[in-house]
Amino acid sequence: MLAGEPAPTGPARRGAKPPVFPVAAIDDPALPEVLAELAAARADEMDADTVNRELSIARKAIGWWQRQGWIEGDPTIGIERRPAPPDRTKTLAENQIAALWRLDVALREKTQWKMLYESAARADEVLCLNVEDLYPQDKRGKITAKGGATEWIHWQSGTAQLLPRLIARRTRGPLFLTDRKAPAGTPTLDVCPETGRARLSYRRAEEIFEENTRLLANPLASPDDIEDLDGWTLHRLRHSALTHDAEDGTSAPMLLARSRHASVRSLERYARPSVDSVARHVAERDPAARRRT
């Protein structure tokens, strides 16, 4: 937006080069008005969370440039964060989770999605796992959590059964790999020393999940329209796992340990019953259903 260019979308995002923009131009008196118009146009195209995240990133960069003495002004002053109404449908129903496991996808995706749901871990944490971080016999792995702390995540039998096939005979390097050799310049830590393939990126993992779940997210859509519709996000696996835990009576201390949140208030988003739970409650109170049973 600072350069007055639209952000690339879809496949064009991969490998897109950012425009050249002199940092000193941020002090241009005309920029705040131009930026406000561009931000408003961006807000019409994207959801509130995306717009707010981009605004936050821009402000952090501008603050850093100011501390370096490179610029004086902040052209984002006056641009307000967009209200983001809560999404009450983030939790996937049990039949949706079951349908997800039935999808015909690669072993890498099966393992990754199972691990995300069973561990309730964040997607970026799981994607940063290395083979040497795993303790398969204990069904757990060592991750770098939000904030930089080293912590454990735990999984269940579904992930435990898939992991040996995914790892094969590898003993080190990224757990989840791309299908191709790593391009030149890829950081050593993100390259498997045994296969030469690169670590799977969050962006690519999200794209694959979104593409494969479009039909599940839009069950009434026709095949001709499915390309224009959105699938699920990886974060919904974590959200669903913690909500299902809460519904099953998991204690607050255990939910805090599973979610690795610092505050009990952060658990409120998972305390809301899922659509399955509400449906069962309504069915149990249905007089016609009680007469049939």
Side-chain angles (χ1 to χ4, degrees), residues 208-283:
I208 294 171
F209 188 66
E210 191 273 333
E211 289 170 1
N212 280 278
T213 57
R214 286 175 185 170
L215 278 174
L216 298 181
N218 305 278
L220 300 181
S222 68
D224 294 335
D225 299 332
I226 204 65
E227 291 295 327
D228 299 323
L229 299 174
D230 294 329
W232 296 331
T233 62
L234 287 170
H235 178 71
R236 294 183 71 173
L237 293 175
R238 168 177 164 85
H239 188 97
S240 301
L242 293 171
T243 299
H244 295 162
D245 279 354
E247 290 175 346
D248 291 340
T250 302
S251 66
M254 184 58 69
L255 280 176
L256 276 176
R258 282 266 286 164
S259 66
R260 287 170 286 107
H261 282 304
S263 168
V264 175
R265 286 196 61 187
S266 301
L267 299 178
E268 293 177 357
R269 72 191 73 175
Y270 310 118
R272 179 177 293 272
S274 69
V275 63
D276 273 345
S277 181
V278 174
R280 284 195 296 268
H281 175 76
V282 172

Side-chain angles (χ1 to χ4, degrees), residues 52-216:
N52 291 338
R53 182 174 65 251
E54 292 178 350
L55 179 60
S56 177
I57 292 170
R59 284 179 169 160
K60 287 180 180 178
I62 288 170
W64 190 83
W65 293 330
Q66 288 174 327
R67 291 192 294 275
Q68 308 311 305
W70 298 346
I71 60 173
E72 296 180 0
D74 181 353
T76 68
I77 291 177
I79 301 177
E80 298 182 356
R81 291 175 59 86
R82 298 280 164 165
D87 184 353
R88 305 299 188 193
T89 65
K90 281 186 178 180
T91 301
L92 300 173
E94 293 176 5
N95 66 322
Q96 290 177 307
I97 293 291
L100 179 65
W101 303 150
R102 291 195 297 268
L103 288 180
D104 184 14
V105 295
L107 174 63
R108 179 186 65 190
E109 275 62 59
K110 286 183 179 179
T111 310
Q112 178 199 142
W113 301 348
K114 277 278 187 181
M115 181 178 285
L116 286 173
Y117 181 71
E118 292 184 351
S119 70
R122 298 178 178 89
D124 55 346
E125 297 170 342
V126 165
L127 290 168
C128 285
L129 276 171
N130 292 326
V131 174
E132 56 267 37
D133 297 326
L134 307 180
Y135 294 74
Q137 68 278 11
D138 300 322
K139 297 181 183 176
R140 65 180 180 177
K142 191 182 297 184
I143 55 99
T144 301
K146 192 175 181 180
T150 301
E151 298 180 357
W152 293 105
I153 61 169
H154 302 260
W155 51 80
Q156 299 168 353
S157 299
T159 303
Q161 292 171 2
L162 294 169
L163 270 176
R165 294 168 52 199
L166 179 71
I167 297 171
R169 297 181 180 179
R170 292 189 291 133
T171 59
R172 56 197 177 119
L175 174 60
F176 296 103
L177 300 171
T178 57
D179 297 324
R180 301 176 181 176
K181 295 286 185 179
T186 303
T188 303
L189 291 176
D190 291 328
V191 179
C192 174
E194 299 177 16
T195 66
R197 289 150 60 194
R199 184 187 306 277
L200 182 68
S201 70
Y202 184 100
R203 174 176 291 179
R204 182 57 185 148
E206 185 85 325
E207 286 176 350
I208 294 171
F209 188 66
E210 191 273 333
E211 289 170 1
N212 280 278
T213 57
R214 286 175 185 170
L215 278 174
L216 298 181

